[in-house]
Amino acid sequence: MQTPQGTPSLRPPGKRPDDSGSSGSAERISRTVMVVMSAALFGVLAILVYGVLVYVPKLEGQVGAGEMQHEESLAAGTVSAPPVKRESATADTEDGSHDQHEMSSREILKKLLALNSRLASDNIQVWGQGSYSSIVALIGEGDGHLRKSEFRDAEERYVKAYEKLQQLDADRNEILVSAVQAGMAALEQGDSVEAQKHFSMALAVDAADQEAKDGLQRTQNLETVRTSLARGKEFEEQGELEAALLEYRKGYELDGTFQPLAIAYERLTEQVKEQKVRDHLSHFYLYLDSSDIPGAEASLADALRLSPTDPAVLAAKKKLESAREDLVVLRLRQQAQSQMSNEQWHKALTSYQQVLKIAPQAAFALQGVAVARRNSELVVQIDTLLKSAERLQDERVQQNGRATLEYARRLEGLGPRTTAKINDLDEVLTRASQPIVLILQSDNLTEVTLYHVGRLGRFYQRRLVLRPGKYTIIGERTGYRVKRSIIELTHEQPEVEYSIRCEEVF
């Protein structure tokens, strides 16, 4: 950003005019301040020259070594100036009075010149303004009286000038604060010329003051910020909101505290955000209607990123969650139906149960669970009976099998594989009910027992009609080993002969 034209160079406070090594680009102030500074400098130089040419030679014989050492300390800024003691008003005609006023006037002049020199290096010509001009005028009046040897009047003028100069030095911080405040006020009014004048004044007091630096930078950016504001309004009126927001942002990044621009930027930022949220929600519902869950998720994510607490966005989030559940339920329902068609009763039962975890009141799932559980349990019962057909010789087992068969015959929609199992059970039960003849032969000495039938006693031959299955026969005789045998009766042999005798002696 270019520094405005017409501002003379300022040196940092504390740097003497004749100091070497100063570098960097100089800041500028207004032409009015230039005129004041030039006049003040001319006055200071006149005083310095006058003091050097006229008074210093006279003082060399009058000031003691201790006093000279004190003055050098004052000039170096290491000792504060002692309070000025005014002499009581007496006529110059009294003995010693004339010489005393002459010495006092020259002494206060030296102090005045030392203080003025120090403040001149701190740019008092700029920030002292009217007060400093009055001080220069007082010094001029004192010089006039001094030339006329009116030492008492000269002393009075110099004392007043010295006191005012001390007061002005003490007021520097107030001047700084006042200049910064005036600059800020001018900025708020959009008056860049006035703002620059005040901030330049503040920096003349303290070149390191950050608030004044920031204010001056804002002043230098003001025209660019105004241009961004104007262009943004033009784009906004044309309905080009994105272009308008871009212009507002350019200015806002330069000066986010300029109220007209900050208000416009924040307002349009919110407006554009709301528009984007509406667009994302429109896309969200289009995707949702077409069951495109990934597309709906992406649009909702964009809306949530812009406005996570917007009620419309939160409502869309709930709809997406519901749609996800509906999709899962639909997939599980289709899966369960396929499993039912394939007679995978247990798997279908699991699928329907998963549906009920998501939608406990889903009627199709409640009905599906009942049918799938019934068919699954039926198949388990049939498989158990078929795997242990030999147990059908037990009357209770056979009755249970017939009850299961009768129940299965009443069911519909069981499918071909389950129906085949039912037919297998029917056949097994039919065969289990057909009797087989068992002819037992013995020696009429052996006690015979047939498990599941009873004690048969001694005999030579015994004819029994039994159901198919495995039977245990035990022969017992005193003094002989017990004989134990297992025979299996099947329909492959409708009549079976078997001999049982105890023949092995202990």
Side-chain angles (χ1 to χ4, degrees):
M1 185 64 67
Q2 296 290 330
T3 303
Q5 300 294 324
T7 305
S9 300
L10 298 179
R11 56 184 173 274
K15 180 71 76 171
R16 296 299 179 109
D18 57 347
D19 284 351
S20 61
S22 62
S23 61
S25 58
E27 298 184 0
R28 299 184 173 184
I29 58 174
S30 66
R31 295 182 181 276
T32 303
V33 177
M34 176 66 179
V35 174
V36 174
M37 183 184 72
S38 299
L41 283 173
F42 181 81
V44 172
L45 290 173
I47 294 171
L48 288 172
V49 172
Y50 187 87
V52 171
L53 296 179
V54 178
Y55 299 116
V56 172
K58 294 182 180 181
L59 290 172
E60 290 178 351
Q62 299 177 12
V63 181
E67 185 178 355
M68 287 298 292
Q69 183 178 2
H70 178 67
E71 291 169 358
E72 290 173 359
S73 299
L74 286 176
T78 58
V79 181
S80 60
V84 178
K85 295 181 179 180
R86 294 178 177 273
E87 298 294 335
S88 58
T90 57
D92 287 349
T93 56
E94 296 180 6
D95 292 340
S97 176
H98 185 274
D99 292 341
Q100 182 64 36
H101 282 299
E102 180 181 4
M103 183 178 296
S104 296
S105 63
R106 296 182 190 282
E107 181 180 349
I108 192 62
L109 177 59
K110 286 181 64 178
K111 295 177 182 178
L112 179 60
L113 292 177
L115 178 58
N116 185 73
S117 177
R118 177 172 65 82
L119 295 180
S121 67
D122 288 347
N123 301 314
I124 192 173
Q125 303 90 336
V126 178
W127 52 267
Q129 295 185 325
S131 297
Y132 185 65
S133 298
S134 67
I135 292 171
V136 172
L138 278 173
I139 294 173
E141 292 177 9
D143 290 347
H145 289 299
L146 195 63
R147 285 193 295 271
K148 298 176 184 179
S149 297
E150 298 171 352
F151 300 118
R152 184 173 186 173
D153 292 333
E155 179 186 358
E156 290 179 355
R157 300 304 188 277
Y158 291 150
V159 168
K160 287 182 180 179
Y162 186 77
E163 291 175 345
K164 285 191 174 185
L165 200 58
Q166 284 183 315
Q167 185 62 47
L168 191 57
D169 186 23
D171 292 342
R172 289 172 67 172
N173 188 64
E174 293 183 10
I175 294 172
L176 171 63
V177 173
S178 178
V180 171
Q181 290 176 346
M184 292 297 181
L187 263 182
E188 293 300 322
Q189 297 298 321
D191 190 343
S192 59
V193 174
E194 189 69 14
Q196 178 176 301
K197 182 181 74 174
H198 290 298
F199 288 130
S200 297
M201 175 73 71
L203 290 173
V205 179
D206 183 0
D209 186 78
Q210 191 59 48
E211 191 173 6
K213 286 182 179 180
D214 293 342
L216 186 59
Q217 184 62 53
R218 287 184 60 199
T219 301
Q220 294 168 346
N221 292 336
L222 186 58
E223 289 306 316
T224 303
V225 171
R226 281 176 162 178
T227 300
S228 293
L229 179 60
R231 287 176 58 82
K233 287 182 177 179
E234 291 177 3
F235 282 124
E236 193 171 355
E237 289 172 357
Q238 296 168 8
E240 300 181 27
L241 301 186
E242 291 288 348
L245 185 59
L246 180 61
E247 285 296 331
Y248 288 152
R249 185 180 294 114
K250 289 179 182 177
Y252 187 81
E253 289 174 352
L254 284 175
D255 187 359
T257 60
F258 185 61
Q259 284 300 309
L261 180 63
I263 292 172
Y265 174 70
E266 292 168 1
R267 172 185 53 77
L268 189 58
T269 297
E270 187 65 25
Q271 184 177 340
V272 169
K273 184 186 76 172
E274 291 176 356
Q275 181 61 52
K276 287 183 178 179
V277 169
R278 288 195 294 271
D279 291 342
H280 290 316
L281 289 180
S282 296
H283 293 145
F284 166 80
Y285 284 109
L286 287 175
Y287 286 126
L288 203 61
D289 289 342
S290 60
S291 298
D292 185 351
I293 298 299
E297 288 174 339
S299 295
L300 181 61
D302 291 335
L304 282 168
R305 187 165 48 253
L306 289 172
S307 186
T309 59
D310 189 309
V313 176
L314 295 178
K317 184 178 180 181
K318 289 184 178 180
K319 284 187 176 295
L320 179 61
E321 292 171 355
S322 177
R324 285 198 190 104
E325 291 180 354
D326 291 344
L327 184 60
V328 171
V329 167
L330 177 61
R331 289 173 179 171
L332 287 172
R333 182 175 188 177
Q334 292 172 344
Q335 176 177 289
Q337 289 173 341
S338 175
Q339 291 163 341
M340 293 286 281
S341 298
N342 292 323
E343 300 179 56
Q344 297 172 311
W345 310 117
H346 186 71
K347 289 183 177 180
L349 174 62
T350 301
S351 297
Y352 283 128
Q353 287 173 336
Q354 289 176 343
V355 170
L356 291 176
K357 289 180 180 179
I358 300 171
Q361 303 303 320
F364 77 90
L366 292 170
Q367 182 180 0
V369 163
V371 174
R373 178 181 284 118
R374 178 200 67 189
N375 293 352
S376 178
E377 291 174 352
L378 174 63
V379 169
V380 169
Q381 290 175 356
I382 293 175
D383 286 342
T384 301
L385 290 169
L386 292 176
K387 288 178 181 178
S388 57
E390 69 278 0
R391 294 182 61 237
L392 292 175
Q393 64 184 338
D394 187 294
E395 183 65 27
R396 288 178 300 177
V397 175
Q398 190 171 118
Q399 288 178 355
N400 181 52
R402 291 196 175 281
T404 300
L405 179 63
E406 183 181 354
Y407 171 72
R409 292 293 189 194
R410 292 199 302 267
L411 300 179
E412 297 180 355
L414 294 177
R417 288 203 300 272
T418 305
T419 300
K421 288 179 180 291
I422 295 172
N423 292 335
D424 290 344
L425 178 61
D426 189 8
E427 182 178 349
V428 168
L429 287 172
T430 299
R431 292 172 63 185
S433 63
Q434 293 176 355
I436 297 175
V437 175
L438 174 62
I439 300 174
L440 290 177
Q441 297 174 348
S442 185
D443 55 7
N444 201 33
L445 298 173
T446 302
E447 292 285 342
V448 178
T449 301
L450 182 63
Y451 277 12
H452 300 297
V453 175
R455 297 180 65 86
L456 302 179
R458 300 175 186 179
F459 56 84
Y460 288 105
Q461 181 174 308
R462 188 81 174 264
R463 188 174 185 277
L464 302 172
V465 178
L466 302 175
R467 291 192 181 96
K470 291 181 180 181
Y471 294 87
T472 301
I473 301 175
I474 299 175
E476 296 175 300
R477 181 180 177 184
T478 303
Y480 293 80
R481 291 186 179 276
V482 175
K483 187 173 183 180
R484 183 187 298 269
S485 302
I486 297 176
I487 61 173
E488 183 175 3
L489 303 180
T490 65
H491 290 97
E492 295 175 358
Q493 294 178 300
E495 186 173 292
V496 177
E497 292 183 1
Y498 189 81
S499 177
I500 177 75
R501 293 179 178 87
C502 293
E503 299 174 334
E504 187 177 353
V505 180
F506 282 118

